[in-house]
Amino acid sequence: MIGAAQSRRRIRLLIWKEFLQLRRDPLLVRLLFIMPILQLVLFGYVVAADVKHLSTAVVDLDRTSTSQALTAHFTGSDYFTVTQYPAETGVQQLMDTGRIAIAIVIPEGTQAALDRGEAAPIGVLVDGSDSQVASVGSGYAAQVIARYNAERVANAGVVLAAPGIDARVRVMFNPTLAAVNTMIPGLVAAIVMISIMVVMGQAVVKERERGTLEQMFVTPIKPVEYLIGKVTPYALLATAQLLLVAGVGVFWFKVPFAGQVSVVAAGLGLFMLTAIGMGLLISLVSHTRQQAQQMMMLLLLPSFVLSGFIFPLDSMPAAIQPLSWFIPLTWAIQILRGAFIKGSGFEALALQFWVLGGFAVVIFGAAIAATRRRLAE
């Protein structure tokens, strides 16, 4: 009992020490809370990028030569890659799990309506959780249908305008295609990564430069106590930032939240462990704060570019896309966008949680082991 009480007291003192050090650097504390607001303003709205090879599903309920020809126009386009031919009831599941970004529904009786000289509506379902992909994809789908309709009319020898295929586009999850609705959830994850890595990346190396780390080694503090005392203040600071960013996104930018708080909390918890682990590893291997800053830039730049945060993954070359699988921010963004916009639960996001959980175990576990070994030397 006495030992446990002393351990808790040492942890409280370590936490208090970290907060005192932050208090002595008021500019850093102000920047940590001003930076999210600036990022929200700068990245709140993003210009859509060109998107190709969208994962597409075709629901052919007509099963005629017309529906086959229309499907061929989509498969022959560089902007669509038809990967699924599900029943109409299977579209929702495919879109929930992110296996398709767009679905073309050809209703029964399409060819018969065209033969009678009537308009034939074609359904285009677009995943609006990524507004850039949804905006570009729906426009390209309408162009493909219009081009097929023009060819059909020309082949029939019709000179005057005649009823044809009528594309009915319906965007799921984000009907307004507001870019801010997809940017804010991704920005939450990005801010977690930036803030934690910036502070944690210099936590140990700063003490090494000041000579206080060696003084810490001669105290009765245990490695576990040091880790808890070192990590807790910054985890609390990151949580405060998250609440600030989420509050601004929901109440200022009016970003809808259709999911469950538990899904968001679990995803961010795993991602925070990953970011803390990366920050600790950087701080342990760096000898100066300048080295730590360079290493952080080395990790942050590819994370932002290849994770789908700024540029859609579908717009990247096929050879580069697999690199995004090895970036934790990729999976965190997918969880947050799925929870915020789609309302996806743990079942639909199971793959993302498993991968992000694997990153958290490996990276945070490696950071703990490296810190304990460093303190034991």
Side-chain angles (χ1 to χ4, degrees):
M1 294 295 293
I2 297 177
Q6 291 178 344
S7 178
R8 287 193 297 269
R9 182 174 180 273
R10 287 194 292 265
I11 292 174
R12 286 197 301 268
L13 290 175
L14 283 170
I15 294 174
W16 180 246
K17 178 187 74 70
E18 294 297 326
F19 278 121
L20 282 178
Q21 288 182 341
L22 287 173
R23 184 181 177 183
R24 292 169 182 170
D25 193 353
L27 179 60
L28 175 61
V29 177
R30 293 191 187 99
L31 288 176
L32 288 176
F33 285 96
I34 293 175
M35 183 174 61
I37 303 299
L38 293 177
Q39 289 171 332
L40 283 171
V41 174
L42 293 175
F43 294 104
Y45 299 92
V46 179
V47 178
D50 192 20
V51 178
K52 291 186 177 181
H53 304 294
L54 287 171
S55 299
T56 306
V58 174
V59 181
D60 187 0
L61 302 177
D62 195 40
R63 301 185 183 280
T64 60
S65 59
T66 297
S67 64
Q68 293 174 2
L70 182 57
T71 301
H73 272 67
F74 277 94
T75 56
S77 172
D78 290 337
Y79 297 105
F80 303 95
T81 300
V82 179
T83 59
Q84 304 286 339
Y85 295 89
E88 190 172 9
T89 55
V91 172
Q92 179 76 38
Q93 178 66 19
L94 291 173
M95 201 163 285
D96 281 346
T97 55
R99 296 172 63 185
I100 61 171
I102 189 170
I104 311 299
V105 181
I106 306 175
E108 185 179 359
T110 296
Q111 181 169 309
L114 294 176
D115 292 339
R116 293 192 301 267
E118 301 174 356
I122 299 295
V124 180
L125 302 179
V126 184
D127 183 352
S129 64
D130 191 328
S131 60
Q132 299 181 47
V133 174
S135 176
V136 177
S138 59
Y140 288 153
Q143 292 178 16
V144 170
I145 294 175
R147 184 165 59 250
Y148 168 75
N149 196 52
E151 293 178 3
R152 185 189 65 83
V153 172
N155 293 334
V158 179
V159 179
L160 300 177
I165 292 178
D166 181 18
R168 303 289 179 87
V169 179
R170 179 163 64 95
V171 179
M172 300 179 66
F173 311 122
N174 185 18
T176 61
L177 293 180
V180 69
N181 290 347
T182 59
M183 178 55 63
I184 296 300
L187 189 57
V188 171
I191 288 176
V192 170
M193 185 174 183
I194 293 174
S195 61
I196 292 181
M197 288 187 63
V198 166
V199 180
M200 289 300 302
Q202 300 190 21
V204 178
V205 69
K206 183 168 58 177
E207 290 189 350
R208 183 184 294 121
E209 285 184 339
R210 293 177 177 177
T212 57
L213 187 61
E214 286 74 12
Q215 297 176 8
M216 195 75 65
F217 292 159
V218 299
T219 65
I221 295 175
K222 299 178 181 178
V224 174
E225 298 169 352
Y226 178 81
L227 279 172
I228 296 174
K230 178 66 70 174
V231 169
T232 301
Y234 304 116
L236 294 175
L237 187 62
T239 302
Q241 282 186 321
L242 289 177
L243 295 176
L244 174 64
V245 174
V248 171
V250 173
F251 297 107
W252 181 8
F253 285 101
K254 307 297 181 182
V255 176
F257 181 74
Q260 306 172 26
V261 176
S262 59
V263 175
V264 175
L268 287 176
L270 292 174
F271 189 57
M272 283 177 62
L273 290 177
T274 304
I276 290 172
M278 289 190 294
L280 271 177
L281 288 174
I282 290 174
S283 189
L284 288 170
V285 300
S286 302
H287 297 285
T288 63
R289 278 179 280 187
Q290 287 76 16
Q291 289 182 0
Q293 292 172 355
Q294 292 299 321
M295 292 189 67
M296 281 186 286
M297 290 298 299
L298 184 64
L299 290 177
L300 289 176
L301 184 59
S303 294
F304 287 163
V305 174
L306 299 177
S307 65
F309 170 58
I310 299 177
F311 307 106
L313 296 177
D314 295 304
S315 66
M316 301 177 188
I320 295 179
Q321 290 184 18
L323 297 177
S324 65
W325 304 342
F326 302 96
I327 297 176
L329 183 60
T330 301
W331 307 97
I333 289 176
Q334 292 181 12
I335 289 175
L336 291 180
R337 284 179 176 171
F340 263 83
I341 302 173
K342 296 182 181 181
S344 303
F346 289 103
E347 182 178 357
L349 298 171
L351 174 62
Q352 288 81 355
F353 271 105
W354 277 111
V355 175
L356 194 57
F359 276 120
V361 170
V362 173
I363 296 177
F364 188 71
I368 291 177
T371 305
R372 289 173 63 93
R373 184 169 59 250
R374 174 65 179 169
L375 294 177
E377 291 177 354

mmCIF file of all heavy atoms in Angstrom, residues 46 223 332:
data_model
loop_
_atom_site.group_PDB
_atom_site.id
_atom_site.type_symbol
_atom_site.label_atom_id
_atom_site.label_comp_id
_atom_site.label_asym_id
_atom_site.label_seq_id
_atom_site.Cartn_x
_atom_site.Cartn_y
_atom_site.Cartn_z
ATOM 1 N N VAL A 46 -11.493 22.685 -49.896
ATOM 2 C CA VAL A 46 -10.406 22.199 -50.751
ATOM 3 C C VAL A 46 -10.910 22.088 -52.180
ATOM 4 O O VAL A 46 -12.031 21.654 -52.440
ATOM 5 C CB VAL A 46 -9.907 20.813 -50.282
ATOM 6 C CG1 VAL A 46 -8.803 20.308 -51.196
ATOM 7 C CG2 VAL A 46 -9.422 20.900 -48.849
ATOM 8 N N PRO A 223 10.648 3.277 -14.561
ATOM 9 C CA PRO A 223 10.373 3.582 -15.980
ATOM 10 C C PRO A 223 8.891 3.732 -16.285
ATOM 11 O O PRO A 223 8.503 4.612 -17.053
ATOM 12 C CB PRO A 223 10.973 2.363 -16.711
ATOM 13 C CG PRO A 223 12.044 1.869 -15.802
ATOM 14 C CD PRO A 223 11.540 2.112 -14.412
ATOM 15 N N ALA A 332 -7.038 6.280 -39.887
ATOM 16 C CA ALA A 332 -7.741 7.163 -38.950
ATOM 17 C C ALA A 332 -8.726 8.058 -39.689
ATOM 18 O O ALA A 332 -9.854 8.276 -39.226
ATOM 19 C CB ALA A 332 -6.733 8.004 -38.167
#
